[in-house]
Amino acid sequence: MPVRYLIVDDEEPGRTNLRLALADHPDWQLVAECDSAAGARTALADSDIDVVFLDIRMPGESGLVLARELARLQAPPLIVFVTAFSVHAVDAFEVHALDYLLKPVDDARLAQAVERAAALLARRQREAYGAALRDYTDPDADRLPQHLHVRSVGRIDRVAVADILWIESAGNYVELHLAGRTVLHRITLNRLEALLDPAAFLRVHRGAIVRRGEIATLASSGDGSWRLTLRGGAVVPVSERYLAPLKAALHAG
């Protein structure tokens, strides 16, 4: 069955460019184009929509107002947010595993968004997606996140920040170490650190962040390097630049 999609953008060139780019994906069927959130509500009420390409900044009601309404549905359509925000302002999308396109839309990035959306629909993940969308559109969403929504191929898993014991860098990903399992999440360690409560987490190495309550013992290896042992037994390297705050945390604990 084709993927039925809706384009919502107040600027006609934006709608046209996106429609022409999506024409390269024959399994995707355009249902309607709208220039406002009000028009989108009508289209959504009249038709079964799988995916909404939603501009965030629109006069009158923003795209986020419509997204917040759709988030109340148990199984909302998937939303691909279209935004002119800089890359530094899209951390929230990545934390909640929501897809987005930066203007001007890149064809390769659009193809990636199409593939991700199709995979979620094939795995019937609209309810899991709905939970991620509700967390993102929560009126208190600007506060530090309480959950991370981790996207793998065709799936979204919800991880409570309170369950994270320590975090390890893996290039453009991080490994979230939980009790008994490790989860790979697509966000850099530096960007994730900015979203964590410093009262709960401490950077101890350029490649590692630990939960303060998990800190057990600190030891020198004799060659000038240091290692930290956590209560669960994990051993984490410690950089010289983070040694002083770590010692202070140990003393306070």
Side-chain angles (χ1 to χ4, degrees):
M1 293 181 60
V3 175
R4 295 164 57 83
Y5 71 92
L6 172 69
I7 296 175
V8 186
D9 191 327
D10 65 293
E11 297 180 347
E12 184 177 0
R15 299 195 303 273
T16 301
N17 291 340
L18 195 50
R19 170 170 33 86
L20 293 175
L22 284 162
D24 291 336
H25 301 274
D27 292 336
W28 284 60
Q29 177 184 328
L30 176 64
V31 175
E33 295 180 20
C34 304
D35 61 4
S36 67
R41 287 189 191 93
T42 300
L44 287 161
D46 292 342
S47 305
D48 183 20
I49 306 292
D50 299 307
V51 180
V52 179
F53 291 88
L54 180 60
D55 189 16
I56 290 181
R57 287 183 174 174
M58 295 188 292
E61 291 181 302
S62 75
L64 291 180
V65 172
L66 178 61
R68 187 171 293 120
E69 292 176 12
L70 294 177
R72 299 191 188 111
L73 302 175
Q74 182 177 3
L78 307 186
I79 297 176
V80 178
F81 292 95
V82 183
T83 176
F85 294 166
S86 72
V87 69
H88 299 293
V90 298
D91 292 321
F93 294 133
E94 296 185 350
V95 163
H96 296 296
L98 303 178
D99 224 334
Y100 62 92
L101 298 171
L102 295 177
K103 292 184 176 182
V105 175
D106 175 76
D107 286 346
R109 184 65 184 83
L110 174 61
Q112 184 183 53
V114 164
E115 181 180 359
R116 288 174 174 173
L120 286 176
L121 291 170
R123 294 283 296 273
R124 301 182 184 277
Q125 285 282 296
R126 280 170 68 156
E127 289 191 19
Y129 176 85
L133 186 62
R134 281 189 289 277
D135 277 349
Y136 172 70
T137 58
D138 187 298
D140 295 325
D142 287 340
R143 70 186 190 282
L144 297 173
Q146 303 301 304
H147 295 87
L148 303 180
H149 293 266
V150 180
R151 178 173 49 206
S152 54
V153 178
R155 182 175 179 83
I156 294 177
D157 290 308
R158 195 170 189 245
V159 175
V161 173
D163 291 339
I164 299 173
L165 306 179
W166 70 287
I167 307 165
E168 186 175 14
S169 176
N172 289 326
Y173 291 78
V174 295
E175 293 181 353
L176 307 174
H177 293 273
L178 315 172
R181 66 186 180 116
T182 299
V183 177
L184 192 65
H185 184 36
R186 185 175 174 80
I187 190 171
T188 65
L189 191 66
N190 285 342
R191 293 174 74 180
L192 180 55
E193 181 184 20
L195 301 171
L196 297 174
D197 183 357
F201 291 92
L202 180 67
R203 187 79 172 255
V204 298
H205 188 273
R206 65 181 181 180
I209 296 172
V210 302
R211 177 174 292 280
R212 289 177 180 269
E214 287 297 306
I215 295 173
T217 60
L218 176 67
S220 172
S221 299
D223 59 357
S225 62
W226 293 80
R227 65 182 185 276
L228 177 66
T229 301
L230 303 183
R231 296 186 186 280
V235 178
V236 182
V238 176
S239 298
E240 182 71 29
R241 64 178 294 189
Y242 300 109
L243 192 56
L246 175 56
K247 287 181 176 180
L250 279 165
H251 180 73

